[in-house]
Amino acid sequence: MSQSNKTKFQTLIEILFTSTKLGLTSFGGPVAHLAYFKDEYIDRRKWLNDRTYADIIAICQFLPGPASSQVGISIGMLRGGLLGGLISWFGFTVPSIIVLIVFALMYQTFSLDDAGFIHSLKIVAAAVVLHALIGLGKKLTPDRSRLAIAIVAASIMLLYPSAWMQILIILGAGLIGLKLFTDKAESKVQPFSVNISKKLGLTSLGILISLLIILPILNRLSDNPLLTIFDTFFRVGSLVFGGGHVVLPMIEREVVPTGLLTANEFLAGYGMAQAVPGPLFTFSSYLGTMMEGVTGAIVATVAIFLPSFLLIIAALPFLNELRKRPTFQGILMGVNASVVGILLAAFYDPVISSSIFSTADFALGVILFGLLNIWKVPAWFIVILGVVGGYILQFITLGLQ
């Protein structure tokens, strides 16, 4: 093996190891995932700088599909090419896929509804998100104008929470950034290496559009249940804005009224998907298993994530060139500020609203945040401490009653 091939192999192994560790420990949904990514990929391993990471997040916010998964795929591609992106997705996603397939096969006897550690993991997510929010806020809202954009964005999202409102906020912030921040653009932007040609990017976009047109036609002409699954989940993965929680009503309309699953089966799987690390889109693995066994799980999972790969391959080759332009930099400054506001709104709902119910919860959250923010304890270890601390506080609370 040549030295260059050996180096590439070592890079891919590093991507696999790092993404799998994140896949095993990244609880708490897409907002928390971005926080875990920042802690591991940016702060600890220095694979990207904060500016590039923020730009990738901003681009992925514009795209349909699971934003956190797309950010992870992008980082993998920038680090190790197309194969690096695939490996990054594989490591981050497979742990939750395995759990949800097993749950689908055993769901009648396998119940975690009353497990105390699930609530502790939500508190962990609150600490991790707050840590990331403060870090991103310092870098992306350094002046009053951008801080104002973040505050307005958070307020609108809290008052009118919807995926379409999020898109409107981002578009509006981009227009404000074009007006206010173009003259603040940096003359020298640190480039990043993308081993993807523009031709491949345009081809990838063409494949996505073609599949969206062809699959429904093929599905109508065929009675193959696996083709039905692929068509359904590919369409959902291509058209869902707003992340994993938005996917719930879209998939429900596709599988419950048609009799593919009962409402109880559907909700049982969705509840389990909340309790596992990794992207919420792996809910598709559970649904596919319930429909057509493990083969159905593989088809559904590939179908719902494939649009993300095609969209990222289409976007990355053009990002470097666009980042050099003052007008685009101004737009991204506004967009990045709005992303901080959107994350702030998400920190309240659903993160805080579904995790902090008592003074004991708040105390545990404060301790975990302090360990993470001041003593720089790794996020994966915070997960362990959060679960252990949750049981300890539960024991102390019961003892005082």
Side-chain angles (χ1 to χ4, degrees):
M1 185 182 292
S2 66
Q3 186 62 37
S4 61
N5 287 337
K6 185 177 180 180
T7 302
K8 289 178 181 177
F9 179 75
Q10 289 173 339
T11 299
L12 295 176
I13 292 297
E14 182 185 22
I15 293 172
L16 178 62
F17 171 79
T18 308
S19 60
T20 302
K21 183 175 76 171
L22 287 166
L24 291 168
T25 58
S26 295
F27 294 89
V31 181
H33 296 162
L34 296 177
Y36 285 111
F37 287 173
K38 183 179 184 301
D39 179 73
E40 185 65 35
Y41 289 135
I42 314 306
D43 297 340
R44 295 186 179 276
R45 296 186 178 269
K46 312 293 184 185
W47 286 2
L48 300 174
N49 58 38
D50 285 290
R51 173 67 181 275
T52 302
Y53 182 61
D55 289 350
I56 289 172
I57 291 176
I59 292 297
C60 292
Q61 294 289 340
F62 275 110
L63 303 176
S68 62
S69 294
Q70 290 169 340
V71 170
I73 292 168
S74 300
I75 293 172
M77 286 184 179
L78 294 177
R79 186 71 177 171
L82 291 176
L83 187 56
L86 179 62
I87 290 173
S88 176
W89 170 82
F90 182 87
F92 182 60
T93 309
V94 162
S96 58
I97 289 175
I98 293 172
V99 172
L100 289 169
I101 289 176
V102 171
F103 179 66
L105 296 173
M106 304 174 61
Y107 91 102
Q108 288 182 323
T109 57
F110 189 55
S111 176
L112 291 177
D113 290 344
D114 299 321
F117 76 86
I118 293 178
H119 182 63
S120 297
L121 293 175
K122 293 179 181 179
I123 299 174
V124 169
V128 172
V129 170
L130 179 58
H131 174 64
L133 189 58
I134 291 173
L136 289 173
K138 288 179 179 178
K139 291 179 172 62
L140 303 183
T141 55
D143 52 50
R144 290 185 177 182
S145 299
R146 279 176 275 187
L147 190 58
I149 291 174
I151 291 172
V152 171
S155 301
I156 294 173
M157 278 302 296
L158 289 169
L159 292 172
Y160 305 101
S162 73
W164 291 109
M165 182 57 68
Q166 176 175 310
I167 295 170
L168 290 174
I169 289 171
I170 291 172
L171 290 173
L175 291 174
I176 293 172
L178 178 64
K179 181 73 173 178
L180 297 182
F181 306 131
T182 299
D183 59 343
K184 295 183 180 181
E186 297 179 21
S187 57
K188 293 183 179 180
V189 177
Q190 182 178 339
F192 53 80
S193 175
V194 183
N195 297 320
I196 303 170
S197 67
K198 292 179 180 178
K199 182 178 179 181
L200 180 59
L202 293 173
T203 301
S204 179
L205 183 61
I207 292 171
L208 176 70
I209 295 171
S210 299
L211 286 174
L212 281 172
I213 296 170
I214 294 170
L215 282 174
I217 297 173
L218 293 177
N219 189 31
R220 288 190 178 186
L221 298 175
S222 170
D223 293 327
N224 189 323
L226 293 178
L227 181 58
T228 300
I229 291 173
F230 193 91
D231 174 40
T232 299
F233 286 88
F234 185 85
R235 186 168 61 254
V236 169
S238 301
L239 302 176
V240 169
F241 287 90
H245 292 285
V246 184
V247 84
L248 176 67
M250 277 196 74
I251 295 185
E252 192 272 340
R253 287 193 296 269
E254 297 276 359
V255 299
V256 174
T258 57
L260 293 172
L261 268 77
T262 67
N264 286 338
E265 289 170 341
F266 184 86
L267 292 174
Y270 190 72
M272 184 63 183
Q274 308 292 324
V276 298
L280 192 56
F281 268 54
T282 54
F283 180 39
S284 60
S285 304
Y286 167 86
L287 296 175
T289 305
M290 296 295 290
M291 294 178 198
E292 290 293 327
V294 176
T295 303
I298 295 171
V299 171
T301 305
V302 170
I304 204 167
F305 282 102
L306 180 57
S308 294
F309 279 94
L310 296 173
L311 286 165
I312 292 300
I313 292 171
L316 282 183
F318 299 94
L319 181 57
N320 240 351
E321 185 176 319
L322 288 171
R323 291 171 77 232
K324 299 174 185 176
R325 300 183 180 183
T327 52
F328 189 73
Q329 287 189 45
I331 291 171
L332 277 184
M333 286 182 192
V335 169
N336 287 338
S338 72
V339 168
V340 172
I342 291 169
L343 292 178
L344 177 59
F347 176 64
Y348 173 74
D349 183 18
V351 177
I352 288 293
S353 63
S354 64
S355 61
I356 307 299
F357 299 129
S358 66
T359 52
D361 292 341
F362 187 76
L364 179 59
V366 169
I367 292 169
L368 295 176
F369 172 74
L371 291 171
L372 188 64
N373 193 59
I374 300 172
W375 284 277
K376 310 301 180 185
V377 175
W380 64 267
F381 194 54
I382 292 292
V383 172
I384 298 173
L385 293 176
V387 172
V388 174
Y391 280 114
I392 292 173
L393 283 178
Q394 187 179 27
F395 178 77
I396 293 173
T397 303
L398 290 174
L400 294 174
Q401 290 179 351

